[in-house]
């Protein structure tokens, strides 16, 4: 039990594990091996931060109203941060006349700021390695202020189930840093990323533990991490597979940046085919417009679906006829002034409250932001036919219960967002073989892998023990119908258990 007698995230998320373990009479020792992570690494990363100009608080403004404006060649000297502060690059001091009083300067056109000297800062960092019986630990790196051991344990275990479901030869891990990445400059983020790998170097590697991007990280950060890990190593080219999600020009895979969103769409296609729903013209509500959400939106939009509302950390935009997704992508990801990369203030739609967002009628809801968003209250409001879980752990156990009662179908996260790790595996394979596959090749393999395993999960859910040219559901069925989330866990546990039962245990 966590604090206040409430269950921790980890305990909540393991409920499906325990349910499936009972159903298949999972070997007792295997169950014990999987109940807790192999390793929980918690450490600290320290870096030097730059001097900042922080906007003056209102009460202080009057005192400095007469301060002479500085002649700062502001454009190039100041780097704006999403929290309203600026990084002061020292070259500004060389080329501009600055007037400062009590640490305050006035920059014409920008306002009044207090100089906050930089210095060393310490951040809490994590890497949880849950299980490696099927292959090297694998999982994303999250940079976010609300991370914890409890959360990373949950996400690391999810990776163990997901890699088994996607049939990629990896285990499960997750990690990251407790930080708001929007409050730091690119250079500071680079240093923080390098330092993270410096500390973790002996615990990672292409055959040991392979990070990838997650919330708050991206291909750029993966490049820093690869550099830090491989620089100076004798056979550094053989080590490119130490991280995935890299830029295609430096050993990344075609299709990787869109793979998670693409996988969500493949699962939706498979669901829609059986449900008799045409995705062309279908209405979609989407939470999260980052890597996963924007890719899913672009692909669905190109297929003719209507993205009627998008909610993110900054607000919600809505357009009944369907948002112009390419324009929204430009607004969020290609506009240097949109520092928080939010859909808010998109001119091609109207604002909406978060409550109204969840209640918007649509055929499909895609949560692609953080976990725990679909609780009992939100699940009661939803007016959709299917929930495609692009995010990790978006639905609470209470939310799940309500969805079941209301007949809203769920495509569980462990298959729905497995496209990312599947193409990460293709990237890793290409790195090992020094090959480069086309996007068509990547997507063809991805489509088959996801649709096949999703169909298998649904057969297990229905208790339909049949054999098809692509899979044999007979050895997975538990003799009765089960919910689809439990069915996915059954598939994962059977595949993991086989390794322990056949290989045995070292003593
Ligand atoms: P990202 O950082 O690129 O985007 C996150 C999005 O969530 C942003 O649009 C942000 O505004 C939104 N968001 C954050 N807090 C929010 C809040 N409180 N309310 C509403 N929206 C909020 O992250 P991403 O890589 O797109 O990951 C999104 C989800 O998908 C996460 O749950 C992640 O674990 C999962 N996932 C990602 C990958 C991948 O390949 N990147 C793979 C599998 C699963």
């Amino acid at each position: 039990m966590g604090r206040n007698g409430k269950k921790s995230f980890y305990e909540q998320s393991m409920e499906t594990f325990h349910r499936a373990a009972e159903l298949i009479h999972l070997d007792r020792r295997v169950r014990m091996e999987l109940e807790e992570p192999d390793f929980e690494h918690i450490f600290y990363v320290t870096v030097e931060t730059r001097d900042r100009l922080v906007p003056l608080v209102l009460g202080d403004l009057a005192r400095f109203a007469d301060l002479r404006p500085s002649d700062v060649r502001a454009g190039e000297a100041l780097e704006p941060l999403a929290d309203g502060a600026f990084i002061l690059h020292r070259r500004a001091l060389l080329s501009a006349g600055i007037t400062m009083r009590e640490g305050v300067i006035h920059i014409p056109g920008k306002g009044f700021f207090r100089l906050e000297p930089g210095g060393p800062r310490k951040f809490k960092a994590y890497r949880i390695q849950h299980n490696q019986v099927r292959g090297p630990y694998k999982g994303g790196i999250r940079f976010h202020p609300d991370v914890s051991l409890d959360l990373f344990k949950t996400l690391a275990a999810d990776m163990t189930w997901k890699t088994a479901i996607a049939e990629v030869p990896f285990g499960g891990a997750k990690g990251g840093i407790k930080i708001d990445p929007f409050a730091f400059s690119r250079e500071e983020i680079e240093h923080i990323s390098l330092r993270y790998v410096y500390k973790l170097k002996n615990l990672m590697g292409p055959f040991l533990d392979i990070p990838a991007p997650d919330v708050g990280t991206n291909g750029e950060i993966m490049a820093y991490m690869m550099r830090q890990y491989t620089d100076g190593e004798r056979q550094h080219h053989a080590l490119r597979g130490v991280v995935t999600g890299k830029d295609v020009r430096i050993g990344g895979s075609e299709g990787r940046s869109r793979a998670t969103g693409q996988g969500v769409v493949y699962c939706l296609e498979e669901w829609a085919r059986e449900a008799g729903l045409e995705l062309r013209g279908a209405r979609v509500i989407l939470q999260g417009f980052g890597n996963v959400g924007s890719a899913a939106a672009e692909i669905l939009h190109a297929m003719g679906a209507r993205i009627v509302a998008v909610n993110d950390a900054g607000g919600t935009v809505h357009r009944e006829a369907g948002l112009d997704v390419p324009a929204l992508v430009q607004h969020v990801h290609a506009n240097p002034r949109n520092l928080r990369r939010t859909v808010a203030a998109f001119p091609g739609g109207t604002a909406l409250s978060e409550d109204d967002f969840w209640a918007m009628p649509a055929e499909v809801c895609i949560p692609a932001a953080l976990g725990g968003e679909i609780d009992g209250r939100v699940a009661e409001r939803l007016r959709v036919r299917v929930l495609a879980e692009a995010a990790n752990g978006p639905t609470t156990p209470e939310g799940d219960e309500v969805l079941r009662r209301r007949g809203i179908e769920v495509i569980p996260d462990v298959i729905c967002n497995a496209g990312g790790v599947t193409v990460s595996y293709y990237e890793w394979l290409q790195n090992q073989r020094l090959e480069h596959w086309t996007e068509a090749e990547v997507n063809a393999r991805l489509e088959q892998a996801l649709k096949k395993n999703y169909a298998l999960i649904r057969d297990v859910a229905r208790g339909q023990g049949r054999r098809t040219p692509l899979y044999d559901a007979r050895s997975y069925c538990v003799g009765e119908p089960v919910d689809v989330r439990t069915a996915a866990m059954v598939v994962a546990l059977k595949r993991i258990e086989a390794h322990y039962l056949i290989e045995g245990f070292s003593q």
Side-chain angles (χ1 to χ4, degrees):
M1 282 291 161
R3 267 175 269 163
N4 316 325
K6 271 171 96 176
K7 281 190 177 163
S8 65
F9 284 132
Y10 189 65
E11 284 167 322
Q12 277 191 27
S13 73
M14 290 297 277
E15 283 174 14
T16 314
F17 165 82
H18 290 297
R19 198 160 53 238
E22 290 295 328
L23 272 172
I24 64 169
H25 310 292
L26 183 70
D27 178 88
R28 269 191 58 214
R29 177 139 182 208
V30 175
R31 185 163 172 172
M32 224 171 264
E33 290 282 342
L34 293 168
E35 257 167 7
E36 293 292 337
D38 288 348
F39 301 100
E40 298 172 357
H41 305 288
I42 301 181
F43 52 106
Y44 290 87
V45 168
T46 56
V47 292
E48 285 294 327
T49 56
R50 291 283 194 177
D51 295 342
R52 280 166 161 63
L53 294 179
V54 181
L56 209 59
V57 292
L58 213 56
D60 283 346
L61 270 176
R63 223 154 43 85
F64 294 96
D66 61 335
L67 184 63
R68 216 178 72 206
S70 291
D71 146 47
V72 175
R73 313 261 146 83
E76 30 177 307
L78 301 181
E79 184 181 343
L81 299 176
D83 64 358
F86 288 89
I87 297 288
L88 178 66
H89 289 286
R90 298 228 162 136
R91 62 183 187 282
L93 304 175
L94 297 174
S95 60
I98 286 190
T99 309
M100 188 175 290
R101 196 168 83 211
E102 296 168 48
V104 172
I105 70 171
H106 174 195
I107 299 175
K110 289 204 163 24
F112 291 77
F113 298 89
R114 185 175 296 285
L115 180 76
E116 219 174 60
R121 280 270 309 257
K122 187 166 68 180
F123 302 91
K124 194 163 189 175
Y126 302 81
R127 185 68 179 171
I128 309 306
Q129 297 171 325
H130 179 263
N131 188 271
Q132 62 167 341
V133 72
R134 298 184 60 263
Y137 298 112
K138 181 91 190 83
I141 302 282
R142 183 173 290 198
F143 286 1
H144 196 272
D146 298 331
V147 296
S148 62
L149 173 62
D150 183 27
L151 176 70
F152 280 134
K153 277 177 72 175
T154 306
L155 296 171
D158 279 347
M159 287 305 297
T160 300
W161 324 137
K162 198 181 301 179
T163 49
I165 287 166
E167 289 183 294
V168 296
F170 292 139
K174 204 82 174 192
I177 304 182
K178 191 171 175 60
I179 184 176
D180 176 5
F182 291 115
F184 293 86
S185 70
R186 278 170 76 130
E187 188 192 37
E188 288 167 335
I189 291 290
E190 177 178 350
H191 292 168
I192 290 163
S193 308
L194 297 178
R195 206 63 198 161
Y196 180 85
V197 173
Y198 173 82
K199 285 280 183 94
L200 206 62
K201 186 159 175 176
N202 286 328
L203 301 167
M204 59 193 275
F207 284 92
L208 180 53
D209 186 353
I210 309 156
D214 188 68
V215 175
T217 59
N218 53 28
E220 215 168 275
I221 292 175
M222 294 306 114
Y224 303 145
M225 293 191 161
M226 178 178 77
R227 186 180 88 215
Q228 178 71 0
Y229 184 82
T230 60
D231 246 8
E233 295 292 332
R234 222 167 100 83
Q235 298 195 327
H236 58 109
H237 296 298
L239 302 175
R240 281 183 184 274
V242 65
V243 291
T244 58
K246 301 181 289 286
D247 188 304
V248 286
R249 293 165 298 182
I250 59 162
S253 177
E254 300 291 344
R256 173 60 183 92
S257 61
R258 285 157 66 99
T260 307
Q262 180 67 70
V264 171
V265 177
Y266 286 144
C267 289
L268 267 172
E269 275 181 343
E270 183 61 19
W271 176 86
R273 189 182 57 77
E274 282 210 344
L277 176 85
E278 189 63 61
L279 283 179
R280 171 183 297 277
R283 293 164 303 173
V284 178
I285 62 170
L286 169 66
Q287 185 190 46
F289 206 71
N291 171 291
V292 178
S294 61
E298 279 185 304
I299 297 165
L300 285 167
H301 175 79
M303 290 166 65
R306 281 190 285 153
I307 316 296
V308 292
V310 179
N311 163 266
D312 72 9
T316 306
V317 285
H318 161 239
R319 185 165 180 264
E320 192 48 42
L323 292 156
D324 177 348
V325 174
L328 187 58
V329 169
Q330 284 291 314
H331 171 79
V332 174
H333 295 291
N335 175 2
R337 291 213 305 276
N338 188 350
L339 292 168
R340 283 220 171 244
R341 304 205 181 291
T342 169
V343 298
F346 176 57
T350 50
L352 203 67
S353 76
E354 191 174 337
D355 252 14
D356 289 342
F357 163 76
W358 291 120
M360 177 75 41
E363 282 68 45
V364 178
C365 171
I366 306 179
L370 302 181
E373 286 286 318
I374 318 283
D375 55 14
R377 201 184 61 86
V378 168
E380 289 288 0
R381 291 186 73 81
L382 285 176
R383 288 155 75 191
V384 297
R385 287 180 62 183
V386 66
L387 183 80
E389 293 186 333
N392 280 310
T395 311
T396 66
E398 190 197 354
D400 237 358
E401 206 41 59
V402 174
L403 295 176
R404 203 168 307 149
R405 172 167 53 72
R406 296 190 58 218
I408 297 175
E409 289 195 57
V410 173
I411 307 177
D413 53 1
V414 279
I415 181 73
C416 192
N417 69 30
V421 77
T422 305
V423 177
S424 275
Y425 168 55
Y426 302 157
E427 177 175 337
W428 181 86
L429 268 184
Q430 292 169 75
N431 291 160
Q432 299 307 323
R433 301 174 179 174
L434 303 179
E435 284 181 1
H436 191 84
W437 304 355
T438 64
E439 185 168 3
E441 206 173 339
V442 167
N443 282 343
R445 284 182 186 235
L446 173 65
E447 178 170 9
Q448 198 196 53
L450 288 191
K451 287 189 173 174
K452 173 185 101 170
N453 282 301
Y454 182 39
L456 166 66
I457 289 168
R458 294 217 286 174
D459 280 358
V460 175
R462 291 179 184 132
Q464 188 171 330
R466 62 174 171 158
R467 188 172 175 182
T468 76
L470 292 178
Y471 60 82
D472 186 348
R474 290 172 304 181
S475 57
Y476 293 99
C477 281
V478 295
E480 57 181 291
V482 290
D483 66 273
V484 72
R485 204 184 292 285
T486 306
M489 185 64 83
V490 164
V491 170
L493 293 186
K494 289 245 182 189
R495 287 177 178 166
I496 295 164
E497 184 185 43
H499 277 264
Y500 284 111
L501 296 187
I502 299 167
E503 293 175 28
F505 296 89
S506 307
Q507 303 293 341

